[in-house]
Amino acid sequence: MAESTQMEVETAAQTVTLPAKPTFKPLKAHEMSDGKVQFRKISVPPNRYSPLKKAWLDIYTPIYDQMKVDIRMNLKARKVELKTRADTPDISNLQKAADFVHAFMLGFDIPDAISLLRMDELYVESFEIKDVKTLKGEHLSRAIGRLSGKGGKTKFAIENSTKTRIVIADTRIHILGAFSNIKVARSSLCSLIMGSPAGKVYSKLRSVSARLNE
Amino acid sequence: MSIAKASGFEALEKLMSTEPPVFLAPSSISEVARTASRYLFEKLKPFNPKSPFDQLLVDGFDAEQIWQQIDLQCQPLLSSLRQDVKRFAQNPKEIRKLGNLALKVSHEDDDVDEMDMDDDELEATESEGDEEEEGDEEEEEEDDVEEDEEEKSGDHEGIEDKFFKIKELEEFLEEGEAEEYGLDYKNKKGVAKRKKQNLRDDDDDEEDEDEEEDDDEFGAFAGGDDEEADKLGKARYDDFFGGKKKETKMKLKDLSEDDEAELENQGDVKLSTHEKDRIKLQSKIEQMEKANLDPKHWTMQGEITAAKRPKNSALEVDLDFEHNTRPAPVITEEVTASLEDLIKSRIIEARFDDVQRAPSMPTKAKREAKEMDDSKSKKGLAEVYEDEYVRQANPAFAPTTFSDELKKEASILFKRLCLKLDSLSHFHFTPKPVIEEMSIQTNVPAIAMEEVAPVAVSDAAMLAPEEIFSGKGDIKDESELTQEERKRRRAKKKRKFKAESAKDPVKKARDDTTENPKTVTGSEER
């Protein structure tokens, strides 16, 4: 539009000194895609329905106030809908908000999921136990038990040492954190799935986390 | 001419009468010698038609030039004489014809004697020149000061004088031969002597070495002389180059021929040195040719495996190869003595090259080992990152960690304790105890310091890099290790564990004390 006209002007008169390069403000979320509104829809699994109801205000407040993204719950469709507003500063806000809600749906707590809103480099990685090793029946149950540990201490140990958050949902495992931390957590979880004892994992974690935290 | 002849003869006589030492000293005798030589030269002229000189030119010529002239004349003369002698040796009767002498019955010695005599007479009768020639030669030799004197048979007075006796020479030669070939030859020498002399008549200008050679050959043939003289006339090619036995007959003839002719005569039993050498050479040649045809010795075959050479053959050969290791030092008494001296001196000096332990860091703060927290973290992930960020950005405002608080508490408790103890012990009580502030060294990265430049914290209190992490060698991650490395680490861990457990012996389980006395006694019985 304006740019194309500008270019035409340039090609027409090349010998003439070119005008100064124009500077445009970054596009607002609203203006992108020709002023249309952008949506995100996140479905709510049934087991997260009641937690969502409980924590709705904790979710709503940061999204609406700080991210400046419209949020609503579509009860019929059992989806959380997000929409950009006119004053949404950055398009990434919408995505962040969507990620945040999605993380909550996966099973992460609000304080943990909030970090997604605050920091850019955090991601959520999911994988299944069967991706690592094919286990059936009791072996699978034992593997899950190994992963969590007694009272969840193994899981907490991994979380604390690697600065990640882990959600073990039956055979699915979700890890939230920075990329390198996710790697470390994943490797220790995989070793647990493969059958290594918790002590071994601890010792490994100790050495690695020290390096990570430098 | 006659005057000259007379004067020449007189000169000759005079020369012959003078003592030999006079010849050596430069004197007027040279003039006499020249005239004498000229006289002799003239005498010999008719026998030498090819001679370029009519007269011996002596005026103004030096000895060398005179000698050359004489030599020119004499050479063809000598050869003709030699041929004559050969002829006479073959046909002794001719001498008779020529000489018109009565010969005795042929005994080989007499023959030889006769031959000697005949030769002498021949020389005497044929021409004065021969004698003169000899005398000439003598003079020439004497003129030239140093020259070997030729040998003649015993009847030649001209040759023998005070210095030179033929018989002495013969004895000397016999002794030499006896040394070489043993004493047997000496006995048989007597026969050969005459032959020797005979030879020498023929070989006038032969050198002593050749004569000695002839002597040797004669010595070798000493045994077979008796039989062979008669068969001289029947010499045939086959006798020379046929069987061994026949060749011996030809020795005389051969000897009488060329001086340096190849002598192929061999006795059945005794061989000349030359023959022996030849036999040896032949055998050597045969050996070498055979060796060349045969397959090479294994050492000469280049690369050889153990299968291709005989067993243990490498031990017998002196192999040369590079030794990569230094040879072990040979311990001799000197070496030991030197070592002991060194040890003694070192002990006296007290200079032992002990290995010194590397000094460890003086204040090596153990890096804060983050405790493995098993419980669920109270902070959310966001708060964790928040705290981290704050610590990085503003270390002063950072909330103290759990370890910091613990440290503070510990330090306060210790101070209190010290104060109480000091008050109790009066002697060492310090009224105002200096309370050392234990500075807490937070391990904040230095970069943050530089960036933010807070006033509160200084760079000096930071931990040194060695205090943070000290590692030796190649630090590898678990995933980077090879199988052997893993095994090594495991073994090391096990060894450490064993060492530690050995230090602190494991307490016996308490069950032993509560056991039944029966079982205890049972164990004792064992």
Side-chain angles (χ1 to χ4, degrees):
Chain A
M1 298 179 301
E3 289 169 40
S4 56
T5 51
Q6 192 66 28
M7 274 171 68
E8 282 167 17
V9 168
E10 283 176 7
T11 51
Q14 280 178 359
T15 50
V16 182
T17 52
L18 297 168
K21 209 175 183 183
T23 50
F24 298 111
K25 284 183 191 168
L27 279 173
K28 282 195 183 160
H30 221 62
E31 286 153 17
M32 268 172 107
S33 62
D34 302 328
K36 286 181 191 168
V37 183
Q38 295 204 16
F39 289 97
R40 293 283 189 274
K41 287 180 183 154
I42 301 117
S43 60
V44 183
N47 62 325
R48 290 308 277 171
Y49 202 63
S50 45
L52 177 65
K53 273 205 276 193
K54 277 188 198 156
W56 174 249
L57 218 58
D58 295 326
I59 297 170
Y60 178 87
T61 328
I63 289 177
Y64 192 83
D65 294 335
Q66 284 151 25
M67 292 287 120
K68 305 224 178 355
V69 171
D70 280 341
I71 180 169
R72 77 169 186 192
M73 177 71 189
N74 189 345
L75 289 161
K76 227 189 233 173
R78 298 279 175 115
K79 285 193 201 234
V80 173
E81 288 169 5
L82 296 163
K83 187 173 79 130
T84 55
R85 283 209 303 254
D87 59 342
T88 314
D90 197 13
I91 193 65
S92 61
N93 286 10
L94 180 65
Q95 190 56 48
K96 278 187 187 174
D99 288 337
F100 165 61
V101 174
H102 182 65
F104 179 79
M105 297 308 157
L106 288 176
F108 290 101
D109 291 335
I110 295 292
D112 302 332
I114 287 268
S115 61
L116 277 168
L117 285 178
R118 287 185 164 184
M119 292 180 71
D120 282 338
E121 303 89 32
L122 298 181
Y123 305 95
V124 176
E125 184 175 324
S126 320
F127 64 94
E128 291 208 29
I129 290 177
K130 68 180 179 190
D131 296 341
V132 181
K133 189 173 184 183
T134 324
L135 298 164
K136 284 180 242 174
E138 275 194 31
H139 301 295
L140 185 60
S141 320
R142 270 203 291 273
I144 297 167
R146 254 200 319 277
L147 283 172
S148 351
K150 200 180 254 180
K153 61 174 186 167
T154 318
K155 187 174 84 119
F156 293 136
I158 298 173
E159 281 181 4
N160 291 328
S161 51
T162 59
K163 282 203 283 252
T164 55
R165 292 292 175 258
I166 300 171
V167 165
I168 303 177
D170 266 353
T171 54
R172 276 221 171 82
I173 300 164
H174 312 280
I175 310 171
L176 166 74
F179 179 70
S180 46
N181 298 351
I182 284 173
K183 237 190 348 181
V184 174
R186 190 183 60 219
S187 72
S188 38
L189 286 169
C190 288
S191 59
L192 280 169
I193 292 166
M194 296 297 281
S196 71
K200 204 168 192 183
V201 174
Y202 285 171
S203 54
K204 227 182 190 182
L205 273 175
R206 234 178 258 125
S207 59
V208 176
S209 64
R211 234 183 292 160
L212 266 179
N213 295 336
E214 273 170 22
Chain B
M1 184 68 177
S2 60
I3 297 163
K5 190 179 177 178
S7 62
F9 198 71
E10 280 168 16
L12 198 61
E13 293 281 313
K14 200 177 178 187
L15 271 178
M16 278 159 63
S17 59
T18 54
E19 299 291 310
V22 182
F23 285 113
L24 293 168
S27 55
S28 58
I29 204 86
S30 64
E31 197 50 53
V32 176
R34 280 173 206 242
T35 46
S37 345
R38 212 183 324 160
Y39 169 66
L40 287 169
F41 196 86
E42 283 175 12
K43 282 285 161 203
L44 286 170
K45 179 82 180 58
F47 298 97
N48 203 356
K50 288 180 191 174
S51 154
F53 303 106
D54 294 331
Q55 251 192 357
L56 183 68
L57 309 163
V58 291
D59 300 326
F61 290 92
D62 64 348
E64 189 57 41
Q65 288 165 330
I66 295 168
W67 161 251
Q68 282 295 331
Q69 293 173 41
I70 294 164
D71 199 33
L72 260 174
Q73 198 203 40
C74 292
Q75 283 294 340
L77 258 178
L78 284 171
S79 53
S80 67
L81 280 172
R82 236 178 264 134
Q83 281 171 4
D84 288 336
V85 170
K86 266 188 232 169
R87 199 159 32 92
F88 292 140
Q90 285 176 8
N91 303 327
K93 294 176 187 174
E94 278 190 23
I95 303 166
R96 239 182 271 159
K97 286 178 199 168
L98 271 170
N100 273 334
L101 296 166
L103 286 172
K104 294 175 189 171
V105 181
S106 61
H107 187 264
E108 56 146 306
D109 292 342
D110 292 342
D111 265 348
V112 172
D113 284 341
E114 277 171 0
M115 279 160 74
D116 279 346
M117 298 295 288
D118 290 345
D119 284 343
D120 295 343
E121 282 160 358
L122 262 174
E123 284 176 344
T125 52
E126 268 188 24
S127 58
E128 295 171 359
D130 288 340
E131 251 193 294
E132 286 161 357
E133 184 197 333
E134 288 166 21
D136 208 10
E137 288 180 315
E138 237 193 292
E139 285 169 12
E140 292 151 13
E141 289 160 15
E142 287 163 356
D143 264 350
D144 290 340
V145 178
E146 295 170 13
E147 194 154 320
D148 295 331
E149 288 184 293
E150 301 296 326
E151 281 183 42
K152 298 291 172 190
S153 53
D155 297 337
H156 287 246
E157 302 101 352
I159 302 301
E160 284 192 352
D161 55 13
K162 282 189 202 169
F163 296 98
F164 176 63
K165 304 260 184 254
I166 284 178
K167 283 189 181 162
E168 283 176 21
L169 175 69
E170 285 169 12
E171 283 166 18
F172 172 76
L173 289 168
E174 273 182 30
E175 283 167 35
E177 283 173 17
E179 280 176 34
E180 265 202 313
Y181 296 106
L183 292 170
D184 291 340
Y185 289 102
K186 224 180 184 180
N187 303 332
K188 296 164 190 174
K189 265 296 167 190
V191 177
K193 260 189 210 170
R194 305 300 182 113
K195 308 265 172 168
K196 254 192 287 176
Q197 289 164 13
N198 208 6
L199 246 193
R200 278 182 208 124
D201 289 337
D202 303 332
D203 312 333
D204 281 340
D205 58 347
E206 207 178 349
E207 294 173 0
D208 281 348
E209 298 139 343
D210 287 345
E211 286 169 346
E212 285 181 13
E213 255 183 38
D214 293 341
D215 287 340
D216 295 342
E217 284 150 15
F218 259 123
F221 299 140
D225 285 352
D226 291 322
E227 305 144 11
E228 290 147 11
D230 291 335
K231 296 161 193 174
L232 266 176
K234 298 159 194 172
R236 297 282 176 271
Y237 174 84
D238 293 328
D239 299 325
F240 280 92
F241 302 102
K244 274 188 185 177
K245 283 192 183 175
K246 292 175 188 174
E247 285 182 359
T248 56
K249 295 169 199 169
M250 297 294 95
K251 61 155 175 71
L252 250 185
K253 171 124 189 168
D254 290 338
L255 293 169
S256 65
E257 279 171 0
D258 268 336
D259 307 330
E260 298 156 3
E262 300 158 20
L263 295 160
E264 301 177 354
N265 302 344
Q266 306 166 15
D268 281 335
V269 184
K270 287 144 192 172
L271 305 167
S272 67
T273 40
H274 180 71
E275 280 304 305
K276 284 186 186 169
D277 289 338
R278 280 194 74 234
I279 291 162
K280 279 184 204 164
L281 257 175
Q282 285 277 345
S283 62
K284 258 194 204 170
I285 290 165
E286 278 176 25
Q287 252 186 356
M288 287 172 78
E289 283 177 350
K290 198 185 170 193
N292 276 344
L293 290 171
D294 287 340
K296 287 184 186 175
H297 191 240
W298 69 268
T299 50
M300 288 301 183
Q301 277 183 13
E303 281 191 20
I304 289 289
T305 59
K308 285 179 189 165
R309 57 178 171 82
K311 193 176 178 183
N312 291 338
S313 55
L315 294 169
E316 290 140 26
V317 178
D318 189 20
L319 298 168
D320 182 23
F321 53 89
E322 274 184 28
H323 297 264
N324 288 329
T325 55
R326 254 181 281 153
V330 177
I331 304 293
T332 57
E333 280 187 33
E334 298 155 3
V335 173
T336 333
S338 70
L339 280 171
E340 283 174 3
D341 288 337
L342 180 67
I343 291 164
K344 282 178 200 166
S345 65
R346 282 298 188 90
I347 290 166
I348 289 162
E349 286 173 38
R351 184 162 74 99
F352 314 110
D353 291 331
D354 287 336
V355 176
Q356 281 162 349
R357 188 170 273 279
S360 59
M361 295 289 293
T363 51
K364 192 170 186 185
K366 196 181 177 186
R367 64 175 162 166
E368 291 180 18
K370 226 173 185 183
E371 281 176 27
M372 190 78 80
D373 198 6
D374 280 0
S375 59
K376 184 180 170 108
S377 68
K378 281 121 197 169
K379 293 188 226 171
L381 192 63
E383 281 161 22
V384 167
Y385 277 111
E386 190 187 319
D387 289 341
E388 207 183 294
Y389 174 76
V390 167
R391 203 175 291 131
Q392 247 187 16
N394 277 328
F397 295 119
T400 54
T401 58
F402 182 68
S403 57
D404 293 338
E405 285 165 13
L406 280 172
K407 281 179 192 170
K408 267 188 194 166
E409 201 183 327
S411 64
I412 290 162
L413 283 170
F414 186 66
K415 278 176 210 168
R416 275 199 218 139
L417 179 66
C418 280
L419 190 67
K420 283 182 188 171
L421 287 170
D422 288 339
S423 64
L424 283 173
S425 60
H426 294 280
F427 288 97
H428 301 285
F429 182 70
T430 50
K432 282 177 189 176
V434 177
I435 298 164
E436 287 173 11
E437 285 288 328
M438 276 170 35
S439 63
I440 296 156
Q441 285 182 338
T442 50
N443 201 12
V444 181
I447 296 167
M449 297 287 103
E450 287 152 28
E451 278 177 359
V452 180
V455 187
V457 187
S458 74
D459 207 7
M462 292 299 109
L463 288 172
E466 293 84 22
E467 291 173 342
I468 295 168
F469 175 76
S470 68
K472 293 172 202 170
D474 195 20
I475 298 155
K476 279 186 171 179
D477 187 25
E478 271 258 358
S479 55
E480 293 166 16
L481 299 171
T482 60
Q483 196 64 25
E484 291 90 38
E485 291 253 303
R486 279 181 224 268
K487 283 186 181 174
R488 230 174 274 146
R489 289 203 179 186
R490 182 177 162 74
K492 196 175 176 188
K493 221 198 316 184
K494 277 181 115 177
R495 257 183 273 128
K496 250 193 196 173
F497 182 73
K498 274 190 184 170
E500 281 171 22
S501 63
K503 272 189 196 173
D504 316 318
V506 179
K507 285 185 185 173
K508 280 190 182 175
R510 288 195 196 150
D511 294 339
D512 289 347
T513 56
T514 57
E515 261 183 27
N516 288 339
K518 280 186 188 176
T519 49
V520 169
T521 51
S523 68
E524 281 173 9
E525 278 173 8
R526 260 186 255 153

Coordinates of all heavy atoms in Angstrom, one line a residue, chain A residues 109 111-112 115 118-119 122 153 156-157 160-161 163-165 176 178 181 202 204-206 213, chain B residues 367 370 372-377 379-386 388 468-469 475-478:
Chain A
D109 N 0.0 -26.1 37.8 CA -0.6 -25.2 38.7 C -0.5 -23.8 38.2 O 0.3 -23.5 37.3 CB 0.1 -25.2 40.1 CG -0.1 -26.6 40.8 OD1 -1.2 -27.2 40.5 OD2 0.7 -27.0 41.6
P111 N 0.6 -20.9 39.7 CA 1.8 -20.2 39.8 C 2.9 -20.7 38.8 O 3.8 -19.9 38.4 CB 2.3 -20.4 41.3 CG 1.2 -21.3 41.9 CD 0.2 -21.6 40.9
D112 N 2.9 -22.0 38.5 CA 3.8 -22.5 37.6 C 3.5 -22.0 36.2 O 4.4 -21.6 35.4 CB 3.9 -24.0 37.6 CG 4.2 -24.5 39.0 OD1 4.9 -23.8 39.8 OD2 3.8 -25.6 39.4
S115 N 4.4 -18.5 34.9 CA 5.7 -18.2 34.4 C 5.8 -18.1 32.9 O 6.6 -17.4 32.3 CB 6.7 -19.2 34.9 OG 6.3 -20.5 34.5
R118 N 5.1 -14.7 32.0 CA 6.2 -13.8 32.3 C 7.4 -13.9 31.4 O 8.1 -13.0 31.0 CB 6.5 -13.9 33.7 CG 5.5 -13.4 34.7 CD 6.1 -13.5 36.0 NE 5.4 -12.7 37.0 CZ 5.8 -12.6 38.2 NH1 6.8 -13.3 38.6 NH2 5.1 -11.9 39.1
M119 N 7.8 -15.2 31.2 CA 9.0 -15.4 30.5 C 8.8 -16.0 29.1 O 7.9 -16.8 28.9 CB 9.9 -16.4 31.3 CG 10.4 -15.8 32.6 SD 11.4 -17.0 33.5 CE 12.8 -17.0 32.4
L122 N 10.2 -20.1 28.0 CA 9.7 -21.4 28.7 C 8.8 -22.1 27.7 O 8.0 -21.5 27.0 CB 8.9 -21.0 29.9 CG 9.7 -20.3 31.0 CD1 8.9 -20.1 32.3 CD2 10.9 -21.2 31.4
K153 N 8.6 -37.7 45.8 CA 9.8 -37.1 46.1 C 10.8 -37.1 44.9 O 11.5 -36.1 44.7 CB 10.5 -37.7 47.4 CG 10.8 -39.1 47.3 CD 11.6 -39.6 48.5 CE 12.1 -41.0 48.3 NZ 13.0 -41.4 49.3
F156 N 9.7 -34.4 42.7 CA 10.1 -33.1 43.3 C 11.5 -32.8 43.2 O 12.0 -31.7 43.0 CB 9.6 -33.0 44.7 CG 8.1 -32.9 44.8 CD1 7.4 -33.7 45.8 CD2 7.3 -32.2 43.9 CE1 6.1 -33.7 45.9 CE2 5.9 -32.2 44.1 CZ 5.3 -32.9 45.0
A157 N 12.3 -33.9 43.4 CA 13.7 -33.7 43.3 C 14.2 -33.2 42.0 O 15.0 -32.3 41.8 CB 14.4 -35.0 43.7
N160 N 13.0 -29.6 41.5 CA 13.8 -28.6 42.2 C 15.2 -28.4 41.6 O 15.7 -27.3 41.5 CB 13.9 -29.0 43.7 CG 12.6 -28.9 44.4 OD1 11.8 -28.0 44.0 ND2 12.3 -29.7 45.4
S161 N 15.8 -29.5 41.3 CA 17.2 -29.4 40.8 C 17.2 -28.8 39.4 O 18.2 -28.2 39.0 CB 17.8 -30.8 40.8 OG 17.0 -31.7 40.2
K163 N 14.8 -26.9 38.0 CA 13.9 -25.7 37.8 C 12.9 -25.9 36.7 O 12.7 -25.1 35.8 CB 14.8 -24.4 37.5 CG 15.5 -23.9 38.7 CD 15.8 -22.4 38.5 CE 17.0 -22.3 37.6 NZ 18.2 -21.9 38.3
T164 N 12.2 -27.0 36.8 CA 11.1 -27.3 35.9 C 9.9 -27.8 36.7 O 10.0 -27.9 37.9 CB 11.5 -28.5 34.9 OG1 11.9 -29.6 35.7 CG2 12.6 -28.1 34.0
R165 N 8.8 -27.9 36.0 CA 7.6 -28.5 36.6 C 7.2 -29.6 35.8 O 7.2 -29.6 34.5 CB 6.5 -27.4 36.7 CG 6.8 -26.3 37.7 CD 6.8 -26.8 39.1 NE 7.3 -25.8 40.0 CZ 8.5 -25.7 40.5 NH1 9.4 -26.5 40.2 NH2 8.8 -24.7 41.4
L176 N 7.5 -28.5 32.0 CA 7.4 -27.1 31.8 C 8.7 -26.5 32.3 O 9.1 -26.7 33.4 CB 6.2 -26.5 32.5 CG 6.2 -25.0 32.6 CD1 5.8 -24.3 31.3 CD2 5.1 -24.6 33.7
A178 N 12.6 -24.1 30.9 CA 13.5 -23.7 29.9 C 14.0 -24.9 29.1 O 14.0 -26.0 29.6 CB 14.6 -22.9 30.4
N181 N 16.8 -27.0 30.6 CA 16.3 -27.7 31.8 C 15.3 -28.8 31.5 O 15.3 -29.9 32.1 CB 15.5 -26.7 32.7 CG 16.5 -25.6 33.2 OD1 17.7 -25.7 33.0 ND2 16.0 -24.6 33.8
Y202 N 19.4 -39.4 41.2 CA 19.7 -38.3 42.1 C 21.2 -37.8 41.9 O 21.5 -36.6 41.8 CB 19.6 -38.7 43.6 CG 18.1 -38.8 44.0 CD1 17.8 -39.3 45.3 CD2 17.1 -38.3 43.3 CE1 16.5 -39.4 45.7 CE2 15.8 -38.4 43.7 CZ 15.5 -39.0 44.9 OH 14.2 -39.0 45.4
K204 N 23.1 -38.2 39.5 CA 23.3 -37.6 38.2 C 22.8 -36.2 38.2 O 23.4 -35.2 37.7 CB 22.5 -38.4 37.1 CG 23.4 -38.6 35.9 CD 22.5 -39.4 34.9 CE 23.4 -39.8 33.7 NZ 22.7 -40.5 32.7
L205 N 21.6 -36.0 38.8 CA 21.0 -34.7 38.9 C 21.8 -33.7 39.6 O 21.9 -32.6 39.2 CB 19.6 -34.9 39.6 CG 18.4 -35.2 38.7 CD1 17.2 -35.4 39.6 CD2 18.1 -34.1 37.7
R206 N 22.4 -34.2 40.7 CA 23.3 -33.4 41.5 C 24.4 -32.7 40.7 O 24.6 -31.5 40.7 CB 23.9 -34.1 42.7 CG 23.6 -33.5 44.0 CD 24.2 -34.3 45.1 NE 23.2 -35.1 45.8 CZ 23.2 -36.4 46.0 NH1 24.2 -37.1 45.5 NH2 22.2 -37.1 46.6
N213 N 23.0 -24.5 37.2 CA 22.7 -23.3 37.9 C 23.8 -22.3 38.0 O 23.7 -21.3 38.6 CB 22.4 -23.7 39.4 CG 21.1 -24.6 39.4 OD1 20.2 -24.4 38.5 ND2 20.9 -25.4 40.5
Chain B
R367 N 32.3 -25.4 47.6 CA 31.2 -24.8 46.8 C 29.8 -25.2 47.4 O 29.7 -26.3 47.9 CB 31.2 -25.2 45.4 CG 31.0 -26.6 45.1 CD 31.0 -26.9 43.7 NE 31.2 -28.4 43.5 CZ 30.9 -29.0 42.4 NH1 30.5 -28.3 41.4 NH2 31.2 -30.3 42.3
K370 N 24.1 -27.6 46.5 CA 22.7 -27.4 46.6 C 22.0 -28.7 47.1 O 22.2 -29.7 46.4 CB 22.2 -27.0 45.2 CG 21.2 -25.8 45.3 CD 20.8 -25.3 44.0 CE 20.0 -24.0 44.2 NZ 19.5 -23.5 42.9
M372 N 19.5 -31.5 47.7 CA 18.5 -32.1 46.9 C 17.2 -32.0 47.8 O 17.0 -32.7 48.8 CB 18.8 -33.5 46.6 CG 17.9 -34.1 45.6 SD 18.3 -33.6 43.9 CE 19.6 -34.7 43.5
D373 N 16.3 -31.1 47.3 CA 15.0 -30.9 48.0 C 14.0 -31.9 47.5 O 13.6 -31.9 46.4 CB 14.6 -29.5 47.8 CG 13.5 -29.1 48.9 OD1 13.3 -29.9 49.8 OD2 13.0 -28.0 48.8
D374 N 13.6 -32.8 48.4 CA 12.6 -33.8 48.0 C 11.2 -33.3 48.1 O 10.3 -33.9 47.4 CB 12.8 -35.0 49.0 CG 13.9 -35.9 48.6 OD1 14.6 -35.5 47.6 OD2 14.2 -36.9 49.2
S375 N 11.0 -32.3 48.8 CA 9.6 -31.9 49.0 C 9.2 -31.0 47.8 O 10.0 -30.4 47.1 CB 9.5 -31.1 50.3 OG 10.3 -30.0 50.3
K376 N 7.9 -30.8 47.8 CA 7.4 -30.0 46.7 C 7.8 -28.5 47.0 O 7.7 -28.0 48.1 CB 5.8 -30.1 46.8 CG 5.1 -29.3 45.7 CD 3.6 -29.5 45.8 CE 3.0 -28.5 44.9 NZ 2.4 -29.2 43.7
S377 N 8.3 -27.9 46.0 CA 8.8 -26.5 46.2 C 7.6 -25.6 46.5 O 6.5 -25.7 45.9 CB 9.5 -26.0 45.0 OG 8.6 -25.9 43.9
K379 N 7.7 -22.4 46.2 CA 7.6 -21.3 45.3 C 7.1 -21.9 43.9 O 7.5 -23.0 43.6 CB 8.9 -20.6 45.1 CG 9.4 -19.9 46.3 CD 10.7 -19.1 45.8 CE 11.7 -19.3 46.9 NZ 13.0 -18.8 46.4
G380 N 6.4 -21.1 43.3 CA 6.1 -21.5 41.9 C 7.2 -21.3 41.0 O 8.2 -20.6 41.3
L381 N 7.1 -21.8 39.8 CA 8.2 -21.7 38.9 C 8.5 -20.2 38.5 O 9.7 -19.8 38.4 CB 7.9 -22.4 37.6 CG 9.0 -22.7 36.6 CD1 10.1 -23.5 37.3 CD2 8.5 -23.3 35.4
A382 N 7.5 -19.4 38.4 CA 7.7 -18.0 38.1 C 8.5 -17.4 39.2 O 9.4 -16.5 39.0 CB 6.3 -17.4 38.0
E383 N 8.1 -17.7 40.4 CA 8.8 -17.1 41.6 C 10.3 -17.5 41.6 O 11.2 -16.7 42.0 CB 8.1 -17.4 42.9 CG 6.9 -16.6 43.1 CD 6.0 -17.2 44.1 OE1 6.5 -18.1 44.9 OE2 4.8 -17.0 44.1
V384 N 10.5 -18.8 41.3 CA 11.9 -19.2 41.2 C 12.7 -18.4 40.3 O 13.8 -17.9 40.6 CB 11.9 -20.7 40.8 CG1 13.3 -21.2 40.5 CG2 11.3 -21.6 41.9
Y385 N 12.2 -18.2 39.1 CA 12.9 -17.4 38.1 C 13.0 -16.0 38.5 O 14.0 -15.3 38.2 CB 12.2 -17.5 36.7 CG 12.6 -18.8 36.0 CD1 11.6 -19.8 35.8 CD2 13.8 -18.9 35.5 CE1 12.0 -20.9 35.1 CE2 14.2 -20.1 34.8 CZ 13.3 -21.1 34.6 OH 13.6 -22.2 33.9
E386 N 12.0 -15.5 39.2 CA 12.0 -14.2 39.7 C 13.2 -14.0 40.7 O 13.9 -13.0 40.6 CB 10.7 -13.9 40.3 CG 10.5 -12.4 40.7 CD 9.2 -12.3 41.4 OE1 8.2 -12.9 41.1 OE2 9.2 -11.5 42.4
E388 N 15.8 -15.7 41.0 CA 17.0 -15.8 40.3 C 17.4 -14.5 39.6 O 18.5 -14.1 39.6 CB 16.9 -17.0 39.2 CG 18.3 -17.6 38.9 CD 18.1 -18.7 37.9 OE1 17.4 -19.7 38.1 OE2 18.6 -18.5 36.8
I468 N 35.5 -22.6 42.9 CA 34.2 -23.0 42.4 C 34.3 -24.4 41.9 O 33.5 -25.3 42.2 CB 33.7 -22.0 41.3 CG1 33.5 -20.6 41.8 CG2 32.5 -22.6 40.6 CD1 33.3 -19.6 40.8
F469 N 35.2 -24.6 41.0 CA 35.3 -25.9 40.4 C 36.8 -26.2 40.1 O 37.5 -25.4 39.5 CB 34.5 -25.9 39.1 CG 34.7 -27.2 38.4 CD1 34.1 -28.3 38.8 CD2 35.5 -27.2 37.2 CE1 34.2 -29.5 38.1 CE2 35.6 -28.4 36.6 CZ 35.0 -29.6 37.0
I475 N 37.6 -33.5 31.3 CA 36.3 -33.7 32.0 C 35.3 -34.1 30.9 O 35.0 -33.4 30.0 CB 35.8 -32.4 32.7 CG1 36.9 -32.0 33.8 CG2 34.5 -32.6 33.3 CD1 36.9 -30.6 34.1
K476 N 34.7 -35.3 31.2 CA 33.8 -35.8 30.2 C 32.4 -36.0 30.8 O 32.3 -36.4 32.0 CB 34.3 -37.1 29.6 CG 35.3 -37.0 28.6 CD 35.7 -38.4 28.0 CE 36.6 -38.3 26.9 NZ 36.9 -39.6 26.4
D477 N 31.4 -35.8 30.0 CA 30.1 -36.0 30.5 C 29.8 -37.5 30.4 O 30.5 -38.3 29.7 CB 29.1 -35.3 29.6 CG 27.7 -35.4 30.1 OD1 27.5 -35.6 31.3 OD2 26.7 -35.2 29.3
E478 N 28.8 -37.9 31.1 CA 28.5 -39.4 31.2 C 28.2 -39.9 29.8 O 28.6 -41.0 29.5 CB 27.2 -39.6 32.0 CG 27.5 -39.8 33.5 CD 27.4 -41.2 33.9 OE1 27.1 -42.1 33.1 OE2 27.7 -41.5 35.1

